[in-house]
mmCIF file of all heavy atoms in Angstrom:
data_model
loop_
_atom_site.group_PDB
_atom_site.id
_atom_site.type_symbol
_atom_site.label_atom_id
_atom_site.label_comp_id
_atom_site.label_asym_id
_atom_site.label_seq_id
_atom_site.Cartn_x
_atom_site.Cartn_y
_atom_site.Cartn_z
ATOM 1 N N ASN A 94 8.487 -8.531 17.402
ATOM 2 C CA ASN A 94 9.343 -7.791 18.339
ATOM 3 C C ASN A 94 8.667 -6.498 18.788
ATOM 4 O O ASN A 94 8.791 -6.093 19.948
ATOM 5 C CB ASN A 94 10.702 -7.489 17.702
ATOM 6 C CG ASN A 94 11.586 -8.721 17.656
ATOM 7 O OD1 ASN A 94 11.378 -9.667 18.418
ATOM 8 N ND2 ASN A 94 12.558 -8.728 16.756
ATOM 9 N N GLY A 95 7.953 -5.838 17.881
ATOM 10 C CA GLY A 95 7.210 -4.623 18.248
ATOM 11 C C GLY A 95 6.050 -4.965 19.168
ATOM 12 O O GLY A 95 5.830 -4.288 20.184
ATOM 13 N N ILE A 96 5.324 -6.011 18.831
ATOM 14 C CA ILE A 96 4.169 -6.426 19.642
ATOM 15 C C ILE A 96 4.624 -6.789 21.057
ATOM 16 O O ILE A 96 3.966 -6.463 22.038
ATOM 17 C CB ILE A 96 3.456 -7.625 18.960
ATOM 18 C CG1 ILE A 96 2.758 -7.142 17.691
ATOM 19 C CG2 ILE A 96 2.474 -8.307 19.908
ATOM 20 C CD1 ILE A 96 2.254 -8.251 16.785
ATOM 21 N N ASP A 97 5.773 -7.438 21.146
ATOM 22 C CA ASP A 97 6.288 -7.866 22.451
ATOM 23 C C ASP A 97 6.630 -6.694 23.379
ATOM 24 O O ASP A 97 6.825 -6.886 24.580
ATOM 25 C CB ASP A 97 7.524 -8.761 22.272
ATOM 26 C CG ASP A 97 7.156 -10.136 21.727
ATOM 27 O OD1 ASP A 97 5.949 -10.474 21.739
ATOM 28 O OD2 ASP A 97 8.060 -10.862 21.263
ATOM 29 N N MET A 98 6.715 -5.501 22.817
ATOM 30 C CA MET A 98 7.008 -4.323 23.662
ATOM 31 C C MET A 98 5.783 -3.860 24.436
ATOM 32 O O MET A 98 5.879 -3.046 25.354
ATOM 33 C CB MET A 98 7.506 -3.168 22.790
ATOM 34 C CG MET A 98 8.859 -3.423 22.204
ATOM 35 S SD MET A 98 9.339 -2.083 21.126
ATOM 36 C CE MET A 98 10.781 -2.816 20.366
ATOM 37 N N LEU A 99 4.598 -4.345 24.028
ATOM 38 C CA LEU A 99 3.355 -3.902 24.678
ATOM 39 C C LEU A 99 3.240 -4.469 26.088
ATOM 40 O O LEU A 99 3.540 -5.647 26.318
ATOM 41 C CB LEU A 99 2.155 -4.355 23.855
ATOM 42 C CG LEU A 99 1.934 -3.643 22.520
ATOM 43 C CD1 LEU A 99 0.847 -4.364 21.728
ATOM 44 C CD2 LEU A 99 1.572 -2.181 22.727
ATOM 45 N N ASP A 100 2.781 -3.633 26.980
ATOM 46 C CA ASP A 100 2.525 -4.052 28.360
ATOM 47 C C ASP A 100 1.398 -5.092 28.392
ATOM 48 O O ASP A 100 0.488 -5.051 27.558
ATOM 49 C CB ASP A 100 2.114 -2.805 29.160
ATOM 50 C CG ASP A 100 1.945 -3.104 30.620
ATOM 51 O OD1 ASP A 100 2.970 -3.185 31.307
ATOM 52 O OD2 ASP A 100 0.788 -3.280 31.063
ATOM 53 N N SER A 101 1.445 -5.992 29.358
ATOM 54 C CA SER A 101 0.463 -7.083 29.405
ATOM 55 C C SER A 101 -0.941 -6.601 29.792
ATOM 56 O O SER A 101 -1.908 -7.361 29.691
ATOM 57 C CB SER A 101 0.937 -8.175 30.368
ATOM 58 O OG SER A 101 1.069 -7.616 31.651
ATOM 59 N N SER A 102 -1.078 -5.346 30.219
ATOM 60 C CA SER A 102 -2.413 -4.807 30.530
ATOM 61 C C SER A 102 -3.193 -4.454 29.261
ATOM 62 O O SER A 102 -4.380 -4.150 29.314
ATOM 63 C CB SER A 102 -2.294 -3.564 31.420
ATOM 64 O OG SER A 102 -1.587 -2.549 30.729
ATOM 65 N N ASN A 103 -2.534 -4.475 28.104
ATOM 66 C CA ASN A 103 -3.193 -4.157 26.830
ATOM 67 C C ASN A 103 -3.772 -5.419 26.202
ATOM 68 O O ASN A 103 -3.378 -6.531 26.535
ATOM 69 C CB ASN A 103 -2.183 -3.540 25.859
ATOM 70 C CG ASN A 103 -1.617 -2.245 26.373
ATOM 71 O OD1 ASN A 103 -2.342 -1.288 26.592
ATOM 72 N ND2 ASN A 103 -0.303 -2.208 26.594
ATOM 73 N N GLU A 104 -4.689 -5.183 25.240
ATOM 74 C CA GLU A 104 -5.235 -6.308 24.468
ATOM 75 C C GLU A 104 -4.880 -6.084 22.995
ATOM 76 O O GLU A 104 -5.192 -5.013 22.437
ATOM 77 C CB GLU A 104 -6.756 -6.349 24.645
ATOM 78 C CG GLU A 104 -7.382 -7.573 23.993
ATOM 79 C CD GLU A 104 -8.914 -7.589 24.136
ATOM 80 O OE1 GLU A 104 -9.443 -6.803 24.942
ATOM 81 O OE2 GLU A 104 -9.553 -8.369 23.428
ATOM 82 N N LEU A 105 -4.241 -7.063 22.381
ATOM 83 C CA LEU A 105 -3.855 -6.928 20.971
ATOM 84 C C LEU A 105 -5.060 -7.246 20.075
ATOM 85 O O LEU A 105 -5.618 -8.346 20.130
ATOM 86 C CB LEU A 105 -2.697 -7.886 20.648
ATOM 87 C CG LEU A 105 -2.170 -7.789 19.213
ATOM 88 C CD1 LEU A 105 -1.449 -6.450 18.981
ATOM 89 C CD2 LEU A 105 -1.228 -8.947 18.888
ATOM 90 N N MET A 106 -5.441 -6.279 19.240
ATOM 91 C CA MET A 106 -6.634 -6.442 18.401
ATOM 92 C C MET A 106 -6.302 -6.869 16.979
ATOM 93 O O MET A 106 -7.180 -7.302 16.233
ATOM 94 C CB MET A 106 -7.431 -5.132 18.361
ATOM 95 C CG MET A 106 -7.821 -4.587 19.724
ATOM 96 S SD MET A 106 -8.641 -5.832 20.747
ATOM 97 C CE MET A 106 -10.204 -5.969 19.901
ATOM 98 N N GLY A 107 -5.046 -6.687 16.565
ATOM 99 C CA GLY A 107 -4.676 -7.071 15.205
ATOM 100 C C GLY A 107 -3.303 -6.576 14.840
ATOM 101 O O GLY A 107 -2.685 -5.800 15.586
ATOM 102 N N LYS A 108 -2.807 -7.057 13.696
ATOM 103 C CA LYS A 108 -1.455 -6.679 13.265
ATOM 104 C C LYS A 108 -1.388 -6.708 11.741
ATOM 105 O O LYS A 108 -2.166 -7.420 11.091
ATOM 106 C CB LYS A 108 -0.424 -7.614 13.884
ATOM 107 C CG LYS A 108 -0.683 -9.074 13.548
ATOM 108 C CD LYS A 108 0.295 -10.000 14.244
ATOM 109 C CE LYS A 108 -0.043 -11.449 13.917
ATOM 110 N NZ LYS A 108 0.898 -12.414 14.410
ATOM 111 N N PHE A 109 -0.432 -5.945 11.211
ATOM 112 C CA PHE A 109 -0.267 -5.902 9.756
ATOM 113 C C PHE A 109 1.167 -5.493 9.436
ATOM 114 O O PHE A 109 1.744 -4.638 10.103
ATOM 115 C CB PHE A 109 -1.246 -4.889 9.142
ATOM 116 C CG PHE A 109 -1.076 -4.727 7.662
ATOM 117 C CD1 PHE A 109 -1.585 -5.690 6.795
ATOM 118 C CD2 PHE A 109 -0.381 -3.648 7.135
ATOM 119 C CE1 PHE A 109 -1.415 -5.569 5.426
ATOM 120 C CE2 PHE A 109 -0.201 -3.520 5.761
ATOM 121 C CZ PHE A 109 -0.722 -4.481 4.906
ATOM 122 N N ILE A 110 1.723 -6.109 8.393
ATOM 123 C CA ILE A 110 3.059 -5.684 7.948
ATOM 124 C C ILE A 110 3.124 -5.744 6.427
ATOM 125 O O ILE A 110 2.511 -6.626 5.804
ATOM 126 C CB ILE A 110 4.176 -6.543 8.606
ATOM 127 C CG1 ILE A 110 5.559 -5.925 8.330
ATOM 128 C CG2 ILE A 110 4.124 -8.007 8.164
ATOM 129 C CD1 ILE A 110 6.645 -6.379 9.297
ATOM 130 N N CYS A 111 3.798 -4.784 5.830
ATOM 131 C CA CYS A 111 4.011 -4.853 4.377
ATOM 132 C C CYS A 111 5.377 -4.237 4.037
ATOM 133 O O CYS A 111 6.028 -3.626 4.881
ATOM 134 C CB CYS A 111 2.887 -4.166 3.606
ATOM 135 S SG CYS A 111 2.906 -2.372 3.705
ATOM 136 N N GLN A 112 5.740 -4.421 2.782
ATOM 137 C CA GLN A 112 7.044 -3.939 2.327
ATOM 138 C C GLN A 112 7.022 -2.423 2.108
ATOM 139 O O GLN A 112 5.969 -1.849 1.785
ATOM 140 C CB GLN A 112 7.356 -4.621 0.998
ATOM 141 C CG GLN A 112 8.750 -5.152 0.916
ATOM 142 C CD GLN A 112 8.953 -6.028 -0.291
ATOM 143 O OE1 GLN A 112 8.028 -6.412 -0.998
ATOM 144 N NE2 GLN A 112 10.193 -6.363 -0.530
ATOM 145 N N GLY A 113 8.173 -1.794 2.287
ATOM 146 C CA GLY A 113 8.307 -0.361 2.016
ATOM 147 C C GLY A 113 9.643 -0.107 1.360
ATOM 148 O O GLY A 113 10.656 -0.681 1.763
ATOM 149 N N LYS A 114 9.624 0.724 0.359
ATOM 150 C CA LYS A 114 10.870 0.996 -0.385
ATOM 151 C C LYS A 114 11.971 1.479 0.553
ATOM 152 O O LYS A 114 11.710 2.163 1.541
ATOM 153 C CB LYS A 114 10.621 2.003 -1.509
ATOM 154 C CG LYS A 114 10.068 3.331 -1.057
ATOM 155 C CD LYS A 114 9.599 4.098 -2.264
ATOM 156 C CE LYS A 114 8.354 4.934 -2.060
ATOM 157 N NZ LYS A 114 7.303 4.471 -1.204
#
Side-chain angles (χ1 to χ4, degrees):
N94 285 338
I96 290 168
D97 288 346
M98 291 177 191
L99 289 171
D100 185 79
S101 60
S102 62
N103 298 299
E104 186 182 347
L105 182 69
M106 305 309 289
K108 57 184 178 174
F109 176 78
I110 190 160
C111 73
Q112 226 170 350
K114 58 192 144 324

